[in-house]
PDB file of all heavy atoms in Angstrom:
ATOM      1  N   ALA V 126    -117.395 -20.420 -30.034  1.00  0.00           N
ATOM      2  CA  ALA V 126    -117.519 -20.700 -28.601  1.00  0.00           C
ATOM      3  C   ALA V 126    -118.777 -20.080 -27.996  1.00  0.00           C
ATOM      4  O   ALA V 126    -119.129 -20.365 -26.843  1.00  0.00           O
ATOM      5  CB  ALA V 126    -116.277 -20.176 -27.872  1.00  0.00           C
ATOM      6  N   ARG V 127    -119.447 -19.239 -28.773  1.00  0.00           N
ATOM      7  CA  ARG V 127    -120.591 -18.508 -28.229  1.00  0.00           C
ATOM      8  C   ARG V 127    -121.795 -19.375 -27.938  1.00  0.00           C
ATOM      9  O   ARG V 127    -122.323 -19.365 -26.831  1.00  0.00           O
ATOM     10  CB  ARG V 127    -121.046 -17.451 -29.239  1.00  0.00           C
ATOM     11  CG  ARG V 127    -120.179 -16.229 -29.304  1.00  0.00           C
ATOM     12  CD  ARG V 127    -120.785 -15.301 -30.321  1.00  0.00           C
ATOM     13  NE  ARG V 127    -120.264 -13.966 -30.214  1.00  0.00           N
ATOM     14  CZ  ARG V 127    -120.737 -12.948 -30.922  1.00  0.00           C
ATOM     15  NH1 ARG V 127    -121.737 -13.158 -31.780  1.00  0.00           N
ATOM     16  NH2 ARG V 127    -120.235 -11.757 -30.779  1.00  0.00           N
ATOM     17  N   GLU V 128    -122.286 -20.048 -28.976  1.00  0.00           N
ATOM     18  CA  GLU V 128    -123.554 -20.774 -28.880  1.00  0.00           C
ATOM     19  C   GLU V 128    -123.513 -21.923 -29.861  1.00  0.00           C
ATOM     20  O   GLU V 128    -122.731 -21.907 -30.807  1.00  0.00           O
ATOM     21  CB  GLU V 128    -124.726 -19.866 -29.299  1.00  0.00           C
ATOM     22  CG  GLU V 128    -125.102 -18.798 -28.314  1.00  0.00           C
ATOM     23  CD  GLU V 128    -126.233 -17.959 -28.906  1.00  0.00           C
ATOM     24  OE1 GLU V 128    -127.210 -18.552 -29.410  1.00  0.00           O
ATOM     25  OE2 GLU V 128    -126.123 -16.717 -28.875  1.00  0.00           O
ATOM     26  N   ALA V 129    -124.449 -22.859 -29.667  1.00  0.00           N
ATOM     27  CA  ALA V 129    -124.495 -24.042 -30.537  1.00  0.00           C
ATOM     28  C   ALA V 129    -124.674 -23.663 -32.004  1.00  0.00           C
ATOM     29  O   ALA V 129    -124.067 -24.260 -32.888  1.00  0.00           O
ATOM     30  CB  ALA V 129    -125.615 -24.980 -30.097  1.00  0.00           C
ATOM     31  N   ARG V 130    -125.519 -22.652 -32.271  1.00  0.00           N
ATOM     32  CA  ARG V 130    -125.763 -22.307 -33.684  1.00  0.00           C
ATOM     33  C   ARG V 130    -124.485 -21.795 -34.367  1.00  0.00           C
ATOM     34  O   ARG V 130    -124.245 -22.050 -35.542  1.00  0.00           O
ATOM     35  CB  ARG V 130    -126.909 -21.299 -33.819  1.00  0.00           C
ATOM     36  CG  ARG V 130    -126.691 -20.002 -33.075  1.00  0.00           C
ATOM     37  CD  ARG V 130    -127.992 -19.190 -32.937  1.00  0.00           C
ATOM     38  NE  ARG V 130    -127.840 -18.104 -31.985  1.00  0.00           N
ATOM     39  CZ  ARG V 130    -127.675 -16.814 -32.320  1.00  0.00           C
ATOM     40  NH1 ARG V 130    -127.667 -16.455 -33.586  1.00  0.00           N
ATOM     41  NH2 ARG V 130    -127.528 -15.894 -31.394  1.00  0.00           N
ATOM     42  N   TYR V 131    -123.634 -21.092 -33.627  1.00  0.00           N
ATOM     43  CA  TYR V 131    -122.347 -20.656 -34.176  1.00  0.00           C
ATOM     44  C   TYR V 131    -121.423 -21.856 -34.346  1.00  0.00           C
ATOM     45  O   TYR V 131    -120.757 -22.006 -35.373  1.00  0.00           O
ATOM     46  CB  TYR V 131    -121.680 -19.625 -33.256  1.00  0.00           C
ATOM     47  CG  TYR V 131    -122.326 -18.260 -33.305  1.00  0.00           C
ATOM     48  CD1 TYR V 131    -123.307 -17.906 -32.379  1.00  0.00           C
ATOM     49  CD2 TYR V 131    -121.932 -17.313 -34.253  1.00  0.00           C
ATOM     50  CE1 TYR V 131    -123.903 -16.649 -32.399  1.00  0.00           C
ATOM     51  CE2 TYR V 131    -122.513 -16.043 -34.282  1.00  0.00           C
ATOM     52  CZ  TYR V 131    -123.499 -15.719 -33.356  1.00  0.00           C
ATOM     53  OH  TYR V 131    -124.074 -14.475 -33.390  1.00  0.00           O
ATOM     54  N   ALA V 132    -121.397 -22.698 -33.315  1.00  0.00           N
ATOM     55  CA  ALA V 132    -120.537 -23.879 -33.389  1.00  0.00           C
ATOM     56  C   ALA V 132    -120.904 -24.723 -34.607  1.00  0.00           C
ATOM     57  O   ALA V 132    -120.026 -25.226 -35.327  1.00  0.00           O
ATOM     58  CB  ALA V 132    -120.667 -24.706 -32.105  1.00  0.00           C
ATOM     59  N   ALA V 133    -122.214 -24.855 -34.855  1.00  0.00           N
ATOM     60  CA  ALA V 133    -122.667 -25.651 -36.005  1.00  0.00           C
ATOM     61  C   ALA V 133    -122.227 -25.001 -37.311  1.00  0.00           C
ATOM     62  O   ALA V 133    -121.740 -25.670 -38.232  1.00  0.00           O
ATOM     63  CB  ALA V 133    -124.190 -25.798 -35.973  1.00  0.00           C
ATOM     64  N   ALA V 134    -122.370 -23.679 -37.401  1.00  0.00           N
ATOM     65  CA  ALA V 134    -122.022 -22.983 -38.643  1.00  0.00           C
ATOM     66  C   ALA V 134    -120.532 -23.101 -38.951  1.00  0.00           C
ATOM     67  O   ALA V 134    -120.133 -23.205 -40.109  1.00  0.00           O
ATOM     68  CB  ALA V 134    -122.428 -21.513 -38.548  1.00  0.00           C
ATOM     69  N   PHE V 135    -119.711 -23.089 -37.881  1.00  0.00           N
ATOM     70  CA  PHE V 135    -118.257 -23.106 -38.100  1.00  0.00           C
ATOM     71  C   PHE V 135    -117.638 -24.493 -37.887  1.00  0.00           C
ATOM     72  O   PHE V 135    -116.425 -24.615 -37.769  1.00  0.00           O
ATOM     73  CB  PHE V 135    -117.584 -22.089 -37.159  1.00  0.00           C
ATOM     74  CG  PHE V 135    -117.888 -20.662 -37.536  1.00  0.00           C
ATOM     75  CD1 PHE V 135    -118.743 -19.884 -36.752  1.00  0.00           C
ATOM     76  CD2 PHE V 135    -117.327 -20.101 -38.677  1.00  0.00           C
ATOM     77  CE1 PHE V 135    -119.026 -18.569 -37.100  1.00  0.00           C
ATOM     78  CE2 PHE V 135    -117.601 -18.784 -39.029  1.00  0.00           C
ATOM     79  CZ  PHE V 135    -118.461 -18.017 -38.251  1.00  0.00           C
ATOM     80  N   ALA V 136    -118.489 -25.523 -37.855  1.00  0.00           N
ATOM     81  CA  ALA V 136    -117.982 -26.869 -37.549  1.00  0.00           C
ATOM     82  C   ALA V 136    -116.986 -27.359 -38.593  1.00  0.00           C
ATOM     83  O   ALA V 136    -115.990 -27.996 -38.272  1.00  0.00           O
ATOM     84  CB  ALA V 136    -119.154 -27.843 -37.440  1.00  0.00           C
ATOM     85  N   ASP V 137    -117.243 -27.056 -39.864  1.00  0.00           N
ATOM     86  CA  ASP V 137    -116.359 -27.544 -40.932  1.00  0.00           C
ATOM     87  C   ASP V 137    -115.855 -26.362 -41.757  1.00  0.00           C
ATOM     88  O   ASP V 137    -116.505 -25.904 -42.683  1.00  0.00           O
ATOM     89  CB  ASP V 137    -117.140 -28.535 -41.813  1.00  0.00           C
ATOM     90  CG  ASP V 137    -116.284 -29.027 -42.977  1.00  0.00           C
ATOM     91  OD1 ASP V 137    -115.054 -28.773 -42.980  1.00  0.00           O
ATOM     92  OD2 ASP V 137    -116.854 -29.659 -43.890  1.00  0.00           O
ATOM     93  N   LEU V 138    -114.669 -25.906 -41.405  1.00  0.00           N
ATOM     94  CA  LEU V 138    -114.153 -24.713 -42.090  1.00  0.00           C
ATOM     95  C   LEU V 138    -113.873 -24.964 -43.569  1.00  0.00           C
ATOM     96  O   LEU V 138    -113.857 -24.030 -44.371  1.00  0.00           O
ATOM     97  CB  LEU V 138    -112.880 -24.213 -41.395  1.00  0.00           C
ATOM     98  CG  LEU V 138    -113.063 -23.615 -39.990  1.00  0.00           C
ATOM     99  CD1 LEU V 138    -111.779 -22.936 -39.549  1.00  0.00           C
ATOM    100  CD2 LEU V 138    -114.234 -22.631 -39.955  1.00  0.00           C
ATOM    101  N   SER V 139    -113.673 -26.230 -43.947  1.00  0.00           N
ATOM    102  CA  SER V 139    -113.395 -26.503 -45.360  1.00  0.00           C
ATOM    103  C   SER V 139    -114.624 -26.214 -46.226  1.00  0.00           C
ATOM    104  O   SER V 139    -114.519 -26.069 -47.434  1.00  0.00           O
ATOM    105  CB  SER V 139    -112.949 -27.953 -45.545  1.00  0.00           C
ATOM    106  OG  SER V 139    -114.061 -28.823 -45.431  1.00  0.00           O
ATOM    107  N   ALA V 140    -115.799 -26.144 -45.566  1.00  0.00           N
ATOM    108  CA  ALA V 140    -117.030 -25.841 -46.305  1.00  0.00           C
ATOM    109  C   ALA V 140    -117.311 -24.341 -46.323  1.00  0.00           C
ATOM    110  O   ALA V 140    -118.333 -23.902 -46.831  1.00  0.00           O
ATOM    111  CB  ALA V 140    -118.210 -26.577 -45.674  1.00  0.00           C
ATOM    112  N   LEU V 141    -116.401 -23.566 -45.733  1.00  0.00           N
ATOM    113  CA  LEU V 141    -116.621 -22.115 -45.630  1.00  0.00           C
ATOM    114  C   LEU V 141    -115.577 -21.323 -46.403  1.00  0.00           C
ATOM    115  O   LEU V 141    -114.451 -21.766 -46.603  1.00  0.00           O
ATOM    116  CB  LEU V 141    -116.565 -21.687 -44.163  1.00  0.00           C
ATOM    117  CG  LEU V 141    -117.724 -22.116 -43.265  1.00  0.00           C
ATOM    118  CD1 LEU V 141    -117.519 -21.515 -41.872  1.00  0.00           C
ATOM    119  CD2 LEU V 141    -119.049 -21.650 -43.846  1.00  0.00           C
ATOM    120  N   ARG V 142    -116.003 -20.138 -46.831  1.00  0.00           N
ATOM    121  CA  ARG V 142    -115.075 -19.183 -47.418  1.00  0.00           C
ATOM    122  C   ARG V 142    -115.179 -17.912 -46.595  1.00  0.00           C
ATOM    123  O   ARG V 142    -116.204 -17.665 -45.931  1.00  0.00           O
ATOM    124  CB  ARG V 142    -115.447 -18.879 -48.871  1.00  0.00           C
ATOM    125  CG  ARG V 142    -115.407 -20.092 -49.784  1.00  0.00           C
ATOM    126  CD  ARG V 142    -113.973 -20.584 -50.040  1.00  0.00           C
ATOM    127  NE  ARG V 142    -113.958 -21.765 -50.893  1.00  0.00           N
ATOM    128  CZ  ARG V 142    -114.015 -23.017 -50.443  1.00  0.00           C
ATOM    129  NH1 ARG V 142    -114.093 -23.273 -49.142  1.00  0.00           N
ATOM    130  NH2 ARG V 142    -113.987 -24.031 -51.291  1.00  0.00           N
ATOM    131  N   VAL V 143    -114.124 -17.106 -46.624  1.00  0.00           N
ATOM    132  CA  VAL V 143    -114.140 -15.872 -45.838  1.00  0.00           C
ATOM    133  C   VAL V 143    -113.645 -14.706 -46.695  1.00  0.00           C
ATOM    134  O   VAL V 143    -112.796 -14.880 -47.565  1.00  0.00           O
ATOM    135  CB  VAL V 143    -113.262 -16.033 -44.567  1.00  0.00           C
ATOM    136  CG1 VAL V 143    -111.815 -16.327 -44.944  1.00  0.00           C
ATOM    137  CG2 VAL V 143    -113.343 -14.796 -43.681  1.00  0.00           C
ATOM    138  N   ALA V 144    -114.252 -13.554 -46.465  1.00  0.00           N
ATOM    139  CA  ALA V 144    -113.764 -12.342 -47.108  1.00  0.00           C
ATOM    140  C   ALA V 144    -113.469 -11.321 -46.016  1.00  0.00           C
ATOM    141  O   ALA V 144    -114.235 -11.166 -45.057  1.00  0.00           O
ATOM    142  CB  ALA V 144    -114.804 -11.783 -48.070  1.00  0.00           C
ATOM    143  N   VAL V 145    -112.332 -10.642 -46.142  1.00  0.00           N
ATOM    144  CA  VAL V 145    -111.975  -9.566 -45.222  1.00  0.00           C
ATOM    145  C   VAL V 145    -112.033  -8.269 -46.016  1.00  0.00           C
ATOM    146  O   VAL V 145    -111.375  -8.136 -47.045  1.00  0.00           O
ATOM    147  CB  VAL V 145    -110.568  -9.785 -44.624  1.00  0.00           C
ATOM    148  CG1 VAL V 145    -110.155  -8.583 -43.754  1.00  0.00           C
ATOM    149  CG2 VAL V 145    -110.535 -11.071 -43.809  1.00  0.00           C
ATOM    150  N   ASP V 146    -112.865  -7.345 -45.538  1.00  0.00           N
ATOM    151  CA  ASP V 146    -113.082  -6.087 -46.272  1.00  0.00           C
ATOM    152  C   ASP V 146    -113.390  -6.350 -47.751  1.00  0.00           C
ATOM    153  O   ASP V 146    -112.832  -5.708 -48.648  1.00  0.00           O
ATOM    154  CB  ASP V 146    -111.893  -5.142 -46.095  1.00  0.00           C
ATOM    155  CG  ASP V 146    -111.879  -4.557 -44.677  1.00  0.00           C
ATOM    156  OD1 ASP V 146    -112.947  -4.517 -44.028  1.00  0.00           O
ATOM    157  OD2 ASP V 146    -110.795  -4.154 -44.228  1.00  0.00           O
TER     158      ASP V 146
END
Side-chain angles (χ1 to χ4, degrees):
Chain V
R127 284 181 164 186
E128 287 178 48
R130 58 195 168 103
Y131 286 94
F135 290 108
D137 177 11
L138 291 191
S139 75
L141 289 184
R142 299 290 179 270
V143 61
V145 175
D146 287 337

